[in-house]
Amino acid sequence: MKQAFGAGANTFAKLSLLGGGLFTVLILGLLFVLDHSPYTRGPIGVAVNQPVRFSHQLHSGVLNIDCRYCHISAEQGAYGGIPDTHTCMSCHSQIATYSELLEPVRTSYATGEYLVWNKVHNIAQHVYFNHSAHVNAGFACETCHGRVDQMPLVWQHQSMTMSWCLECHREPERFIRTYDQVYTFGEPAPENQIDVGLQLVAAQGIDVSRLSNCSICHR
Ligand code: HEC
Ligand code: HEC
Ligand code: HEC
Ligand code: HEC
Ligand code: HEC
């Protein structure tokens, strides 16, 4: 019988099956590496340089300015939000007016051109995140961003990988606080965190069983 395919075809088919398997393994491996690679999200614990050396350590830690003065949208909307230079000038039109460090702030204020800050956090485009849903349910800035009140320049504190999100989505009782603790820093969790946490989760009406659904974060 005349063969429609050459003698090598069978071997080729076998090879490509094997190849397909290998290819899938490679792709999965690549996704795994990407999920654990700092390059997709920016490194943890490395301070990001900024056009103006704005220090959270000074403004939040020493001067004790409330996070909401500059990031009210973390409570009201999806994004944390970065303040414009009008917010800075509410003080710096009187304070440290001759500081050279503040020159770009004054220029931006005078020209109306945005001061462009370098992003510290950057989760993948295909992931949906919403600040107000977390903050109002009792999850603290500190839990996800660390001791911002001690950072001269902000760095990323958590990996922001899918497994990090899921660690809390599966057991929110380990991290939840009462709302009045959302803006506090450096206070140790109570010894009975799990008991208190389970009560708070129930009181907030959080349905933990739905929090691992893919469609919550991938819409
Ligand atoms: C006086 C205004 C001001 C206050 C108060 C303030 N911030 Fe900021 N925040 C900024 C500015 C400006 C930036 C952008 C520059 C930078 O990243 O340092 C920023 C950046 C950040 C970032 C990184 C954003 C990114 O690029 O991913 C986080 C997280 C943050 N702030 C959290 C906080 C928390 C938590 C508090 C309260 C402890 C706070 N901030 C108080 C002005 C402020
Ligand atoms: C449950 C974790 C979580 C909590 C709680 C949280 N954040 Fe964030 N924050 C994130 C993630 C994730 C990003 C990155 C979002 C992105 O890249 O789109 C982020 C980004 C930011 C940014 C950069 C702007 C933006 O939205 O991309 C600021 C500013 C910020 N957070 C401030 C705050 C402040 C202030 C609080 C407390 C009121 C807070 N965050 C609480 C997880 C959290
Ligand atoms: C609620 C008041 C207030 C706000 C709002 C504020 N600052 Fe400040 N800032 C201060 C005070 C007070 C100092 C300390 C001044 C000193 O040491 O003489 C300071 C110091 C600074 C310095 C150091 C100046 C120097 O030469 O040492 C920089 C830079 C700065 N702020 C940037 C900013 C930026 C950028 C914003 C807006 C995102 C901002 N500040 C918002 C009160 C404020
Ligand atoms: C420290 C705990 C914690 C971390 C970390 C966390 N979450 Fe959540 N998240 C929750 C809880 C609890 C809820 C449910 C809140 C409720 O039902 O009131 C929630 C709700 C959500 C929702 C639903 C919001 C809505 O509109 O209903 C989204 C989306 C979400 N999280 C995305 C993420 C992503 C993406 C990450 C990681 C980048 C993340 N979360 C990290 C605790 C956390
Ligand atoms: C709590 C939020 C959350 C839930 C629930 C979630 N994911 Fe993700 N997912 C993420 C985040 C955040 C990333 C981005 C990770 C990164 O940038 O490293 C991601 C990335 C991914 C990626 C891209 C590969 C990678 O690792 O970067 C795939 C594929 C994926 N998720 C599939 C799923 C599937 C399937 C489910 C349901 C079983 C699911 N996710 C549930 C938050 C979530």
Side-chain angles (χ1 to χ4, degrees):
M1 195 182 85
K2 201 162 189 320
Q3 281 178 311
F5 300 99
N10 210 6
T11 332
F12 179 74
K14 277 185 193 152
L15 270 178
S16 65
L17 267 181
L18 187 68
L22 269 179
F23 186 69
T24 316
V25 169
L26 270 177
I27 290 290
L28 286 176
L30 191 69
L31 283 178
F32 180 83
V33 170
L34 275 178
D35 190 41
H36 293 79
S37 141
Y39 297 108
T40 47
R41 280 162 255 95
I44 301 170
V46 177
V48 175
N49 229 332
Q50 297 293 350
V52 173
R53 270 193 86 85
F54 173 78
S55 167
H56 281 78
Q57 182 182 45
L58 172 67
H59 291 83
S60 307
V62 178
L63 299 171
N64 218 1
I65 306 172
D66 195 292
C67 310
R68 281 164 287 196
Y69 191 91
C70 294
H71 299 298
I72 185 69
S73 55
E75 192 166 297
Q76 297 177 342
Y79 298 99
I82 303 295
D84 66 13
T85 41
H86 282 80
T87 311
C88 312
M89 289 303 276
S90 66
C91 289
H92 286 294
S93 57
Q94 280 108 44
I95 297 167
T97 50
Y98 295 105
S99 166
E100 257 178 55
L101 294 177
L102 281 156
E103 188 51 40
V105 175
R106 289 190 292 268
T107 307
S108 156
Y109 184 70
T111 61
E113 259 178 58
Y114 278 107
L115 186 60
V116 182
W117 302 92
N118 296 320
K119 274 186 163 227
V120 180
H121 302 84
N122 211 350
I123 48 168
Q125 285 283 319
H126 56 86
V127 179
Y128 175 73
F129 181 77
N130 183 313
H131 270 91
S132 64
H134 292 89
V135 173
N136 291 309
F139 294 92
C141 314
E142 181 184 26
T143 303
C144 299
H145 295 300
R147 294 298 302 269
V148 177
D149 63 322
Q150 295 180 346
M151 298 181 187
L153 283 169
V154 183
W155 59 80
Q156 187 170 311
H157 171 71
Q158 295 282 7
S159 70
M160 311 256 151
T161 53
M162 181 160 131
S163 41
W164 173 68
C165 309
L166 286 173
E167 193 186 326
C168 181
H169 275 216
R170 291 190 183 118
E171 296 175 308
E173 65 274 14
R174 288 169 52 201
F175 305 97
I176 195 168
R177 302 179 178 186
T178 52
Y179 177 77
D180 61 358
Q181 298 288 309
V182 161
Y183 292 94
T184 54
F185 288 82
E187 289 199 20
E191 272 180 21
N192 57 346
Q193 170 67 34
I194 300 299
D195 296 338
V196 177
L198 285 169
Q199 280 168 24
L200 287 171
V201 166
Q204 285 288 338
I206 295 171
D207 178 2
V208 179
S209 67
R210 86 183 173 100
L211 287 183
S212 302
N213 293 349
C214 317
S215 61
I216 289 233
C217 305
H218 304 292
R219 311 188 164 183

